[in-house]
C-alpha cells in the first residue's frame, strides 16, 4: 500500500500536522497496522523534497517544533495519477484496493471508473493465465488455477464494492 | 453489401442502438455490440442488466423495439419471422444453461437432429454427429438418453449439437451455470477450441470471471447498455 499517496490524499481537505495525519490515517486505514511516527515523518520529508507538499506553518510549543503540511498542485496531480493507474493484479491486493476506493470517495474522484479499470486489468491477466493453462501441462494448469481462483476472489470483491459504492460514500464523506 | 452505419469493419454480426422494453421495464437502452469471425466475446454484468435480452436480439429470437442487427447483408429485425428462423436454424448455434436435449432421443439422435431438420439424410447426419461427439469427448455416451447422463456430459452433448451445423455464430447463455468448475472449464475449453477451428464467432453470456477468461474480449452490460472494456483504464 502506498502510504505516501494516502497521506497526500488526506491533505486534500486542508493542511494538517504530522500528528493529525497519523491519527486520520489510523482511523480510516490503520485497522490492523497503525503507522509509526517515524514512518509519517520520513514520508513527509520525502514528499516535501519532491515538491508534493509544502510547509504551511510551524508551531513552536513546549515540545519539538511541529510542521503543518499543505498539498501542492503537483501533489494533487500525483494522487489522481495513482488512483487512475490500476494495480498490478496479484493475490492479497484487498487492502490497497480498499484504500484507493476510500481515497477516491474522500477526495471526490470517480471511484466507479477506478473499479472498472481494475476489473479490466484483472480479467486481462485471467485471460492470459487461461491461455497458458489450456496449452500447458498439469503443473501449469495447477499453478495457473491457483492464481486464477485468487484473482476471481478479488474480482468478486470489486463487483460487490461497485454495487455498494453509494453506501460506502455515505460513511466516508465528512 | 449493405451495412448499417455503425457496423465495425470486418465484423460478422453488429448491433447498434438496440432498445427493448417489457411493459414498464427497460431491458435494453441503446446497446451496441459487434463480433468478428472466430472471435469469442464474453458478455458480463449484474443480474437483470439485459445480457440475455441482448443475446436474444442478436440471435433474432427477440425483435428489438429499435436498433439494427446486421448479419452479413441482412438486418435481422427487418426480416420476416420465417426468414429469421431460417437464419437461426442454418447459421446460428445455441447453448443454454439447462437441458435443451430431447429426452426421448439418444445423444447421437439429439446431435443429429438439427441436420435432419435441415434435410440431411440420416446416415450422413449421424456420421457428422458422431464426429462432434468425439470432438466434445462424449462419444461413449452416444447411445444413452439425456436422463442417463451427468450434467457435464449433457452439456457437452448440447455443445456438440450447437456445433453440428457448422454455425457462423454460437450463442451461449450461462453454458456452465449448472456445472462444477472442473466440468465448466472442460466445456469452455472444448467449446472455444471447436469454435476457433471453424472460425465461428461466440457470444458468451456468463457471470463467472473464470469462464469469461476463455474469451478474447469482454463486454459489460449495465442498465441496458453494453460497454466494451478493451479501452477502459487507458485514459
Ligand atoms: N420476457 C420478459 N418479460 C418481462 N420482462 C422481462 C422479460 N425478459 C427480461 N425481462 C426484464 O428485462 C430486464 C433484463 O433482463 P435479462 O434477462 O436480459 O437480464 P440478464 O442480464 O440476463 O439477467 P440474469 O443475469 O439474471 O440472467 C430484467 O429487468 C427482466 O426482468
Ligand atoms: Mg440472463
Amino acid at each position: 500500500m502506498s502510504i505516501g499517496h494516502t497521506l497526500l490524499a488526506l491533505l486534500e481537505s486542508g493542511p494538517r500536522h504530522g500528528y493529525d495525519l497519523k491519527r486520520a490515517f489510523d482511523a480510516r486505514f490503520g485497522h490492523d497496522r497503525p503507522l509509526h511516527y517515524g514512518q509519517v515523518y520520513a514520508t513527509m520529508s520525502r514528499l516535501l523534497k519532491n515538491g508534493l507538499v509544502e510547509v504551511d506553518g510551524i508551531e513552536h510549543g513546549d515540545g519539538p517544533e511541529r510542521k503543518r503540511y499543505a498539498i501542492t498542485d503537483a501533489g494533487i496531480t500525483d494522487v489522481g495519477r495513482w488512483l487512475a493507474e490500476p494495480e498490478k493484479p496479484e493475490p492479497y491486493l484487498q487492502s490497497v484496493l480498499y484504500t484507493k476506493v476510500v481515497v477516491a470517495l474522500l477526495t471526490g474522484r470517480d471511484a466507479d471508473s477506478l473499479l472498472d479499470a481494475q476489473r479490466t486489468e484483472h480479467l486481462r491477466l485471467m485471460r492470459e493465465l487461461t491461455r497458458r493453462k489450456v496449452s500447458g501441462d498439469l503443473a501449469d494448469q495447477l499453478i495457473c488455477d491457483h492464481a486464477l481462483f485468487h484473482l476471481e476472489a478479488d474480482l468478486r470483491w470489486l463487483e460487490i464494492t461497485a454495487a455498494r459504492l453509494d453506501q460506502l460514500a455515505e460513511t466516508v464523506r465528512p | 453489401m449493405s451495412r448499417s452505419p455503425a457496423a465495425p469493419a470486418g465484423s460478422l454480426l453488429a448491433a447498434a442502438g438496440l432498445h427493448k422494453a417489457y411493459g414498464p421495464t427497460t431491458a435494453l437502452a441503446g446497446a451496441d455490440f459487434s463480433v468478428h469471425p472466430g472471435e469469442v466475446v464474453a458478455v458480463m454484468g449484474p443480474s437483470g442488466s439485459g445480457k440475455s435480452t441482448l443475446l436474444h436480439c442478436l440471435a433474432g429470437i427477440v425483435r428489438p423495439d429499435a436498433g439494427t442487427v446486421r448479419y452479413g447483408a441482412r438486418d435481422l429485425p427487418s426480416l420476416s419471422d420465417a426468414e429469421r428462423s431460417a437464419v437461426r436454424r442454418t447459421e446460428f448455434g445455441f447453448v443454454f444453461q439447462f437441458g435443451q436435449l430431447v429426452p426421448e432421443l439418444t445423444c447421437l439422435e439429439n446431435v443429429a437432429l438439427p441436420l435432419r431438420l435441415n434435410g440431411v439424410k440420416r446416415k450422413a447426419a449421424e456420421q457428422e454427429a458422431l464426429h462432434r461427439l468425439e470432438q466434445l469427448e462424449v462419444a461413449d455416451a452416444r447411445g444413452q438418453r439425456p436422463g442417463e447422463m451427468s450434467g457435464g456430459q449433457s452439456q457437452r452433448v448440447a455443445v456438440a449439437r450447437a456445433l453440428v451445423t457448422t454455425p457462423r455464430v454460437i450463442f451461449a447463455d450461462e453454458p456452465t451455470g449448472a456445472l462444477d468448475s472442473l466440468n465448466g472449464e472442460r466445456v469452455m475449453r472444448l467449446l472455444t477450441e471447436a469454435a476457433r477451428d471453424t472460425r465461428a464467432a461466440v457470444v458468451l453470456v456468463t457471470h463467472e470471471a473464470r469462464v469469461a477468461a476463455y474469451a478474447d474480449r469482454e463486454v459489460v452490460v449495465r442498465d441496458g447498455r453494453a460497454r466494451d472494456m478493451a479501452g477502459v483504464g487507458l485514459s
Side-chain angles (χ1 to χ4, degrees):
Chain A
M1 170 155 76
S2 173
I3 294 168
H5 288 116
T6 313
L7 293 179
L8 270 180
L10 289 171
L11 287 175
E12 283 198 25
S13 59
R16 291 175 194 252
H17 293 106
Y19 178 72
D20 278 351
L21 274 172
K22 173 192 153 43
R23 273 209 316 210
F25 182 97
D26 288 349
R28 285 193 193 278
F29 308 112
H31 308 295
D32 29 58
R33 243 183 295 159
L35 288 181
H36 301 295
Y37 286 108
Q39 278 177 293
V40 178
Y41 292 112
T43 306
M44 293 319 289
S45 54
R46 177 172 55 82
L47 297 176
L48 196 57
K49 201 179 78 198
N50 295 338
L52 303 177
V53 298
E54 59 198 11
V55 175
D56 181 63
I58 299 180
E59 260 173 42
H60 304 276
D62 300 341
E65 64 176 24
R66 303 209 303 156
K67 282 182 186 150
R68 199 168 60 180
Y69 299 99
I71 191 167
T72 61
D73 287 347
I76 293 174
T77 307
D78 202 52
V79 174
R81 200 181 304 132
W82 175 60
L83 290 178
E85 178 76 20
E87 296 295 318
K88 188 169 171 292
E90 56 191 26
Y92 318 118
L93 257 185
Q94 305 88 323
S95 106
V96 59
L97 294 181
Y98 171 78
T99 302
K100 277 189 160 185
V101 171
V102 171
V103 163
L105 293 171
L106 264 177
T107 59
R109 290 179 172 89
D110 188 351
D112 252 324
S113 62
L114 179 162
L115 289 169
D116 268 351
Q118 192 64 55
R119 193 200 131 70
T120 302
E121 206 53 35
H122 266 63
L123 214 74
R124 202 193 313 273
L125 180 58
M126 288 181 75
R127 279 197 294 267
E128 198 182 305
L129 289 165
T130 301
R131 275 195 295 274
R132 202 187 307 165
K133 178 170 93 170
V134 168
S135 60
D137 59 14
L138 183 59
D140 288 325
Q141 286 169 26
L142 293 175
I143 290 165
C144 290
D145 266 335
H146 183 266
L148 282 163
F149 279 113
H150 279 91
L151 292 167
E152 183 187 35
D154 269 1
L155 259 180
R156 287 195 187 174
W157 182 87
L158 290 169
E159 267 156 28
I160 248 169
T161 304
R164 292 176 178 166
L165 215 44
D166 292 345
Q167 225 177 316
L168 182 62
E170 272 172 35
T171 72
V172 160
R173 289 216 177 96
Chain B
M1 186 164 90
S2 82
R3 42 174 50 183
S4 61
S11 62
L12 176 63
L13 180 70
L18 293 180
H19 286 259
K20 178 72 193 173
Y22 293 103
T25 309
T26 301
L28 292 178
D32 300 330
F33 182 92
S34 72
V35 62
H36 286 68
E39 191 184 31
V40 181
V41 181
V43 179
M44 302 189 77
S47 184
S49 58
K51 303 181 294 293
S52 294
T53 307
L54 174 64
L55 182 138
H56 293 153
C57 288
L58 294 170
I61 296 170
V62 162
R63 202 192 288 263
D65 300 333
T68 57
V69 181
R70 186 189 57 73
Y71 174 70
R74 293 165 277 197
D75 178 48
L76 297 185
S78 327
L79 300 182
S80 70
D81 286 351
E83 287 168 325
R84 274 188 298 146
S85 100
V87 171
R88 284 201 304 271
R89 214 176 49 238
T90 56
E91 317 261 321
F92 296 166
F94 295 90
V95 187
F96 297 104
Q97 183 170 355
F98 294 110
Q100 321 97 63
L101 302 176
V102 181
E104 293 78 13
L105 301 181
T106 65
C107 285
L108 189 67
E109 291 164 342
N110 261 289
V111 176
L113 188 60
L115 291 173
R116 299 282 290 140
L117 293 176
N118 286 349
V120 177
K121 293 261 178 352
R122 175 185 293 273
K123 200 160 177 217
E126 294 196 342
Q127 203 167 3
E128 182 60 23
L130 185 59
H131 166 67
R132 292 299 172 179
L133 286 171
E134 279 163 0
Q135 193 177 17
L136 272 292
E137 301 174 358
V138 70
D140 287 350
R142 59 178 166 277
Q144 284 161 249
R145 285 174 222 288
E148 302 162 353
M149 284 184 295
S150 73
Q153 285 177 317
S154 314
Q155 209 54 349
R156 277 181 280 135
V157 173
V159 173
R161 193 179 64 172
L163 291 166
V164 79
T165 54
T166 326
R168 304 313 309 140
V169 189
I170 297 159
F171 294 94
D173 196 345
E174 299 283 5
T176 63
L179 304 180
D180 65 30
S181 45
L182 209 52
N183 276 293
E185 300 223 11
R186 188 171 180 193
V187 165
M188 282 316 300
R189 177 173 58 79
L190 295 168
L191 170 63
T192 48
E193 275 171 9
R196 286 187 177 116
D197 270 0
T198 57
R199 300 260 306 147
V202 179
V203 181
L204 165 73
V205 171
T206 181
H207 67 277
E208 289 176 87
R210 274 179 313 105
V211 171
Y214 280 83
D216 302 308
R217 183 160 65 85
E218 174 206 15
V219 162
V220 173
V221 180
R222 274 196 202 120
D223 303 326
R225 285 169 188 277
R227 196 152 160 236
D228 194 324
M229 300 311 273
V232 165
L234 307 172
S235 57

